[in-house]
Amino acid sequence: RFYYSTFRGSRANISINGGIGIYPTEIEEYFTYGITFPLGDYGLTERYIDASARFPFGFQGGFCFEYRLSKDLAFVIEAEWRHVKLGRFTGRGRYYVNEWTAEGELSHTVHWEEGGTLYYFTEVDPHIGSRYADFAVWDRIPEVSVTYIDDIRKVKLDLSRSAIRLGFRIRLF
């Protein structure tokens, strides 16, 4: 970050700053889904997802106006801006599916891992018919799915913001 100030020593001071920030960002999810079927069979799905941004950089800048009211008191107006739009989240997804009979015997088990890009999508739950948002890590978008998925897009995280602050700077010592 770079800083530049003007009017040093006078009652008023203006300073500006700006630079590049590093925002190491990681998204992790642990999801457990259990279902009991009408005849007593039941299933348990577990999903672990971890992904991180491949280019975690952003830009930031600010402006400050300070007016000294006395030797120990100053009125301050600050404005800050940050532009950080993170994308290209890549990582791994680990999936575990287990099913048991009504008598409690393990009837089916599947485990797989997949590396790639983190995607957001909406999906229709085949058991209750509701649509909900979800995440998945895929090396490529699947052409066919067991459930109806829609609105597939790469995950993006926007940490951009701006702020204006008014206040007083008090010199204590």
Side-chain angles (χ1 to χ4, degrees), residues 9 118 151:
L118 182 63
D151 194 26

Side-chain angles (χ1 to χ4, degrees), residues 4 126 147:
Y4 178 74
T147 61

Side-chain angles (χ1 to χ4, degrees), residues 144-164:
V144 178
S145 173
V146 174
T147 61
Y148 177 69
I149 59 176
D150 196 17
D151 194 26
I152 302 170
R153 57 184 179 242
K154 293 179 182 179
V155 169
K156 296 186 186 296
L157 181 61
D158 188 351
L159 299 176
S160 301
R161 69 169 184 88
S162 59
I164 296 176

Side-chain angles (χ1 to χ4, degrees), residues 41-99:
D41 297 3
Y42 58 97
L44 180 67
T45 299
E46 294 177 280
R47 177 179 66 207
Y48 304 89
I49 290 177
D50 61 53
S52 57
R54 302 297 292 161
F55 188 76
F57 299 100
F59 303 98
Q60 54 199 16
F63 167 83
C64 179
F65 173 75
E66 181 177 326
Y67 184 77
R68 273 199 343 245
L69 301 171
S70 71
K71 183 179 119 186
D72 297 326
L73 181 66
F75 176 68
V76 177
I77 299 173
E78 286 183 312
E80 288 186 345
W81 166 78
R82 177 174 67 196
H83 178 78
V84 181
K85 292 191 177 188
L86 302 174
R88 293 192 282 168
F89 281 88
T90 59
R92 298 206 65 70
R94 294 181 304 281
Y95 306 89
Y96 304 89
V97 178
N98 297 301
E99 295 177 3

